[in-house]
Amino acid sequence: MTKILGISAYYHDSAACLLDDGRIIAALQEERFSRLKHDSSFPSQAIARILRIGQLTVADLDYVVFYEKPFVKLERILETYLRHCPRGLASYLKAIPVWMKEKIWIKEWIRKELEYDGEILFSDHHESHAASAYYPSPFSSAALLTIDAVGEWTTTALGQAQGNEIVLESDISFPHSLGLLYTTFTYYLGFRVNSGEYKVMGLAPYGDPTYSDLIENHLIHIDEDGSFQLNTSYFNFETGLKMASSQFEKLFGGPPRKPDTPLSQRHRDLAASIQKVTEKVILRMCRHLYKSTGKKHLCMAGGVALNSVANGRILRETDFQDLWIQPAAGDSGGALGAALVVWHRFLGKPRHRHSETSGDQQRGSLLGTRHDNPEVRQCLDTIGATYQEFDDSTLMEKVARTLAQGGIGGWFQGPMEFGPRALGNRSILADPRNEEARDLINTRVKFRESFRPFAPAIMEEHASAYFELDRPSPYMQVVAPVKAEMRGRIPAVTHIDGSARIQTVNSTTNPRFHRLLEEFHKQTSCPLLLNTSFNVRGEPIVESPRQAYQGLMRMGLDFLVIENCFLDKKDQHSENIG
């Protein structure tokens, strides 16, 4: 039995993953334990929890693998600074000491942190992304596309896979980066870099793409095959401490929007424009990949693969028969991909047998910690919480009825999700028929921008009746139109352009969440719920029962369910926040 620990750290969203003979045992992000959103530090707490889940010690590990090659990444950083010297000296003086002290000494750091004496390996950044997308997928062969800000040098990689072999055949290198282009607009629109990109995507339908020609004429040249080059004079990310140059600001009419200030129509139009250009690049790449590889299926990873609007267009507007995207598509998924690289490529092990209709190996991405009823009761008793414990049938009936009556609740069940989406285990739920629910959750529950949409979680067997979607979408990775006749029935999950980012739920992958949807359907004739992540703006998704209780007390929730325990907000002591 070969045990492999994969690690991603030090750039964005640190994580760890454990494989046992190629099977995913657990995968966790450090932020869920440190409570620092997108924590990039060494994932010590995540590793400790993973070993506990696997009932292992460090001595049981056969290999530890890091998701990228630090010395190659440092080479890119040094070459970039030397090419622009003396410009960028302030950025250089800030970055290089950290690299020299910590980031290039990953092997020594791993040995020190883990007290580990075994073999330590390194995977290429985009190879890790590609592996995370292909190996867990249900496909026996596929075209591959990975797009992010930057790895070592590569920002975009295209290739194909067959059996357990992955070949990345072409790439685009830094500073030409679709991820950095999109992130520059994220910065310019006043959102947090490497965090607020989904806000740009959500804002885009409120605007018109009036700046798209300006972007294409000045910022990016796009070839017919989707390859591209940036005009670097408009950007400052190579050597500066901000994303956009003064030339960029002049082109688009002024300085960046200050965070938390009002959004104008110009800001909405800028979001619509960069979204349109990004979709154009991705669609051209995908059409080229289909022609060059002849593959029927496509696998994707990298942060840009979380652009669910573009993903929906890939399904509708290219010849690929199906698409599979790593749920933890960003750097956290690199930990999983690196471990899979060792198992399948370094050790040459075959993939697990499965048919192309039997589902994937990601296990619903429910790969994290879980807290059983005795632990939950002990925690709630220690806090002094007031709760009732029900059997499954009574609990489902009560929760569905409370939601149908307009209640908004936290839903904390089973293993925690791996990746940025709450998929029914660390969720906030509401009735999608209630038009006011969207604004209520944005303003008094999550304390976030009013334009942000919410996802519908729907019983898989009913999805095609409500959405223009002819296949499962278990990971909220695809945006599709809501059928015209259904938009008025589920206004809380229908975005302004008539679309929704859909999660389909089946009775095999997440039976408990499916049972709740089934009961809600029984009571209301509506087979879906509004589903959003159980966190407030700026914080990671809750991991523990105590954090869930604190969420009940601090957020505008009406109730909370932790495993079989039901907590009514009205029954709690107002001074008790856990």
Side-chain angles (χ1 to χ4, degrees):
M1 304 291 281
T2 305
K3 314 288 194 300
I4 304 169
L5 178 69
I7 297 172
S8 63
Y10 292 140
Y11 178 65
H12 183 67
D13 214 2
S14 296
C17 171
L18 177 66
L19 297 188
D20 188 346
D21 272 2
R23 187 169 65 93
I24 306 170
I25 301 301
L28 295 168
Q29 292 149 269
E30 184 71 6
E31 66 165 21
R32 306 293 168 84
F33 307 100
S34 69
R35 309 310 298 160
L36 300 173
K37 196 169 180 67
H38 302 303
D39 190 351
S40 61
S41 62
F42 191 85
S44 301
Q45 296 182 76
I47 292 169
R49 301 300 179 94
I50 275 178
L51 293 174
R52 192 181 307 168
I53 291 170
Q55 298 181 317
L56 302 174
T57 67
V58 170
D60 296 314
L61 297 174
D62 296 287
Y63 299 94
V64 174
V65 56
F66 194 70
Y67 82 125
E68 66 179 9
K69 298 178 178 178
F71 280 96
V72 181
K73 193 159 192 166
L74 178 61
E75 174 189 70
R76 185 254 301 168
I77 292 169
L78 290 173
E79 284 193 22
T80 301
Y81 281 128
L82 287 172
R83 187 166 63 247
H84 295 279
C85 186
R87 185 161 60 91
L89 180 61
S91 177
Y92 174 88
L93 292 175
K94 182 178 179 180
I96 293 304
V98 178
W99 272 91
M100 299 308 294
K101 183 179 179 181
E102 295 180 2
K103 293 185 178 182
I104 59 171
W105 310 113
I106 296 296
K107 184 174 287 191
E108 290 74 11
W109 201 257
I110 289 171
R111 295 203 187 282
K112 176 184 175 183
E113 288 284 335
L114 300 185
E115 297 182 357
Y116 173 73
D117 295 323
E119 190 161 4
I120 299 174
L121 302 171
F122 294 84
S123 174
D124 176 83
H125 185 105
H126 276 261
E127 182 184 35
S128 296
H129 276 322
S132 77
Y134 172 63
Y135 290 128
S137 81
F139 310 138
S140 58
S141 68
L144 303 173
L145 178 60
T146 65
I147 317 175
D148 65 4
V150 61
E152 292 90 354
W153 280 99
T154 301
T155 68
T156 303
L158 299 86
Q160 58 182 304
Q162 181 84 32
N164 70 340
E165 286 298 317
I166 285 176
V167 180
L168 298 179
E169 299 168 327
S170 62
D171 60 40
I172 297 171
S173 294
F174 183 85
H176 307 291
S177 167
L178 189 62
L180 287 171
L181 172 65
Y182 204 93
T183 294
T184 300
F185 278 86
T186 302
Y187 157 84
Y188 190 68
L189 289 169
F191 303 125
R192 184 181 174 187
V193 168
N194 292 326
S195 178
E197 285 72 19
Y198 53 90
K199 297 182 183 181
V200 177
M201 184 176 65
L203 182 63
Y206 290 87
D208 297 311
T210 54
Y211 295 95
S212 58
D213 288 344
L214 201 63
I215 293 171
E216 289 194 50
N217 290 336
H218 292 271
L219 268 59
I220 183 171
H221 172 76
I222 310 168
D223 293 323
E224 285 301 313
D225 63 358
S227 58
F228 58 88
Q229 302 83 39
L230 298 186
N231 183 343
T232 57
S233 64
Y234 286 93
F235 303 94
N236 205 36
F237 54 71
E238 285 187 88
T239 58
L241 296 173
K242 61 180 186 176
M243 300 297 296
S245 70
S246 57
Q247 197 169 337
F248 184 104
E249 295 177 8
K250 182 178 179 181
L251 181 66
F252 292 106
R257 167 181 167 262
K258 293 182 179 179
D260 300 319
T261 58
L263 287 159
S264 67
Q265 188 58 44
R266 171 173 159 270
H267 296 127
R268 299 181 185 96
D269 293 345
L270 282 165
S273 300
I274 188 56
Q275 179 65 29
K276 179 181 178 180
V277 172
T278 299
E279 291 172 23
K280 181 176 182 176
V281 173
I282 292 172
L283 286 171
R284 284 192 179 182
M285 282 185 181
C286 290
R287 292 179 180 125
H288 168 71
L289 258 178
Y290 181 82
K291 291 178 182 178
S292 64
T293 65
K295 301 293 186 183
K296 298 183 297 182
H297 302 119
L298 174 65
C299 293
M300 293 177 64
V304 178
L306 292 170
N307 194 306
S308 50
V309 176
N311 298 339
R313 291 191 64 188
I314 293 171
L315 284 177
R316 295 190 297 273
E317 300 177 35
T318 74
D319 291 324
F320 283 112
Q321 292 182 11
D322 210 350
L323 169 69
W324 197 88
I325 302 160
Q326 168 54 232
D331 279 5
S332 59
L336 169 60
L340 289 166
V341 166
V342 173
W343 178 251
H344 292 294
R345 305 200 73 191
F346 182 74
L347 298 176
K349 300 293 186 179
R351 298 175 69 203
H352 292 288
R353 288 176 172 268
H354 58 272
S355 72
E356 295 196 355
T357 58
S358 68
D360 57 46
Q361 301 294 326
Q362 189 81 12
R363 293 169 39 207
S365 216
L366 306 176
L367 302 171
T369 49
R370 67 183 306 153
H371 305 268
D372 59 18
N373 278 306
E375 182 184 350
V376 172
R377 288 194 299 270
Q378 182 180 20
C379 176
L380 295 178
D381 290 341
T382 301
I383 289 170
T386 302
Y387 63 93
Q388 295 173 284
E389 190 169 2
F390 298 104
D391 61 62
D392 281 5
S393 177
T394 306
L395 180 72
M396 298 301 169
E397 190 278 331
K398 182 174 180 62
V399 173
R401 184 176 68 252
T402 306
L403 289 166
Q405 292 172 347
I408 298 171
W411 177 254
F412 185 108
Q413 301 288 318
M416 181 172 58
E417 300 90 340
F418 180 53
R421 315 291 192 206
L423 301 171
N425 283 21
R426 302 290 186 273
S427 293
I428 292 172
L429 305 177
D431 186 344
R433 303 169 303 160
N434 180 4
E435 190 166 7
E436 296 179 353
R438 177 174 52 203
D439 291 337
L440 286 172
I441 296 174
N442 272 331
T443 55
R444 75 178 178 90
V445 177
K446 301 197 74 168
F447 311 110
R448 66 182 200 177
E449 299 88 352
S450 61
F451 63 83
R452 301 273 297 279
F454 293 107
I458 185 166
M459 297 166 68
E460 186 179 291
E461 56 268 37
H462 291 276
S464 61
Y466 281 77
F467 307 103
E468 299 290 347
L469 186 70
D470 61 355
R471 69 201 71 209
S473 175
Y475 300 117
M476 283 190 205
Q477 298 282 43
V478 172
V479 166
V482 181
K483 287 191 171 181
E485 65 272 22
M486 294 297 180
R487 293 175 187 177
R489 299 188 190 183
I490 51 171
V493 294
T494 301
H495 204 21
I496 190 172
D497 60 353
S499 70
R501 177 164 51 86
I502 303 155
Q503 178 198 2
T504 58
V505 182
N506 67 48
S507 58
T508 301
T509 304
N510 197 337
R512 196 166 178 81
F513 193 34
H514 188 271
R515 284 200 299 274
L516 177 61
L517 292 168
E518 196 171 34
E519 179 62 32
F520 189 77
H521 182 226
K522 178 182 174 182
Q523 293 187 24
T524 66
S525 299
C526 179
L528 65 145
L529 288 168
L530 180 157
N531 178 19
T532 188
S533 57
F534 195 165
N535 67 304
V536 297
R537 180 184 181 187
E539 291 187 5
I541 294 173
V542 299
E543 184 277 329
S544 69
R546 180 176 292 274
Q547 291 161 14
Y549 185 80
Q550 290 169 342
L552 172 68
M553 300 306 292
R554 292 170 176 168
M555 302 160 70
L557 297 175
D558 300 303
F559 69 94
L560 169 64
V561 182
I562 311 180
E563 295 301 328
N564 285 70
C565 298
F566 184 96
L567 297 88
D568 191 315
K569 178 75 166 284
K570 298 191 300 293
D571 296 335
Q572 311 307 313
H573 299 293
S574 59
E575 70 276 5
N576 187 3
I577 60 171

